[in-house]
Amino acid sequence: MSANQEKEQPRRRQARGERRIAQLLEAAATVFTTTGYTAASTNAIAREAGVSPGTLYQFFPNKEAIAIELGDRLMHEMRETYGEALAPVDPATPLEEAVGAAVDRFIAFNCEHPVFFALMHGPDIPGRIAEEHDALHATLLSRIEGLLSSLLPDTAPADLTRTAHMCLGLYKAGLELVLAHEAAERDAYIQELKNALVRYLDPLVGATLGHHKPRP
Amino acid sequence: MSANQEKEQPRRRQARGERRIAQLLEAAATVFTTTGYTAASTNAIAREAGVSPGTLYQFFPNKEAIAIELGDRLMHEMRETYGEALAPVDPATPLEEAVGAAVDRFIAFNCEHPVFFALMHGPDIPGRIAEEHDALHATLLSRIEGLLSSLLPDTAPADLTRTAHMCLGLYKAGLELVLAHEAAERDAYIQELKNALVRYLDPLVGATLGHHKPRP
DNA sequence: GACAAACGCGAGCGGTCGCTCGCATTCTGG
DNA sequence: CCAGAATGCGAGCGACCGCTCGCGTTTGTC
């Protein structure tokens, strides 16, 4: 067996090539968003990008790699934009504000990159992308769990995990509704999502800290 | 029963045929559940049922018809079992009880027929099934809206619709988590789903009726 | 038992899709 | 300026899928 140099061969790219890659990824995002990953054909992506199938395969070894690269770039942008957003666990900020800020940021990201939702929610997605999705999912869950554990110090870990799962599930449900509407109606759904999350969590932190506001 | 001939074909079936149909639908349910509708191949369904592809097409004109028939039977069973379940709008029953009962019934149905979730949530499903899904969706929404309007008489219709959408979305999110777990953990998620729904709705009916229980 | 209809089979047809290959064109380093 | 790498093309290959067809078997009816 010879040295395996297929791993990270420093393939020399020209500026033209980088442009093509960006163009192809953009086209792929469009096609994936409208038809989903499996139903999207590589020929359709190439057509959308205005190039031939052969050109597409000049830059991507296979269909999965397109989605992988797209996912990687989205992930990178997400980390860049919101990496520090979920980190601060200020126990002084009211729950409503903390939830509202987090929801606003993530909703904004998903609205700006609708393909993210398509890639992460497809029931048909192959191995590597599913791994990425699971990794992100796990990251988000542990982040949420961390936030919750500082709000609910005396709660069993199993309950904490379950609550985190519920929060993420509730967020996903709200996201779907938000993406399905526009303008004012969309904003109203964002508010409702915040309401649902806050009301779900409020009794927990209320019971723990004993300093929630009574109903007027 | 009268002669229930469809549009054109007074096809006479033998008992053997009816058995095959049931057998094929069961196999289809299995395959659809595990791989989703689009990824499921008719050959795989026939193999799962232990018959040849030709036999499958003796009873179904095409792949879509299999899913349609499966959907119809599920829908029928659902109406039979829960047709009257969501109807009674007893304003005297506490919100917690009403939500709990409704959730229990629908969760039970979805746990018993996991293919229902697969068929109704596939992002790849063709025309007729999507229509059925939309019809069911609309039916559930109007039912929920009806229940809500009796609880929240002085609420704008748009807000009512939005709240109904949120309830259904929250339920779907919870259902996904419930189906992903088993035994005790599943029960715990069912309880959390009920909590989320009740806490989301409680402030609304509390504000309207002014007779909610204060926190201990 | 005779006959037709319903049932059952599985090789294979037409079509699509992911992907390749041979060859032409454009860029870049020396 | 030119050798060679990078880019671009598109017909077409192999695999798979939905579905068909011809033919043999079983079943119901008289």
Side-chain angles (χ1 to χ4, degrees), chain A residues 78-130:
Chain A
M78 194 179 189
R79 282 202 171 69
E80 241 183 18
T81 318
Y82 307 112
E84 75 285 353
L86 209 56
V89 195
D90 190 349
T93 44
L95 178 65
E96 217 165 321
E97 210 171 298
V99 167
V103 165
D104 280 336
R105 285 168 181 274
F106 279 98
I107 290 280
F109 182 83
N110 276 282
C111 287
E112 205 169 345
H113 305 288
V115 69
F116 190 77
F117 188 78
L119 272 187
M120 294 298 168
H121 270 61
D124 48 4
I125 286 174
R128 264 281 275 140
I129 312 176

Side-chain angles (χ1 to χ4, degrees), chain A residues 123 162 165-166 169 173 177 185 188-189 192-193 196 199-200 203 212 215, chain B residues 123 162 165-166 169 173 177 185 188-189 192 196 199-200 202-203 212 215:
Chain A
R162 205 179 305 119
H165 270 100
M166 284 295 295
L177 287 170
E185 197 60 17
Y189 273 106
E192 284 303 293
L193 169 57
R199 288 174 197 163
Y200 173 65
H212 66 98
R215 209 107 46 202
Chain B
R162 206 179 305 117
H165 271 100
M166 283 295 295
L177 287 170
E185 196 61 16
Y189 273 105
E192 284 304 294
R199 288 174 197 162
Y200 173 64
D202 191 50
H212 67 96
R215 207 107 46 200

Side-chain angles (χ1 to χ4, degrees), chain A residues 168-190:
Chain A
L168 198 50
L170 261 46
Y171 167 74
K172 282 197 213 167
L175 174 61
E176 206 159 342
L177 287 170
V178 167
L179 290 178
H181 294 84
E182 289 176 0
E185 197 60 17
R186 170 173 290 188
D187 293 340
Y189 273 106
I190 294 176

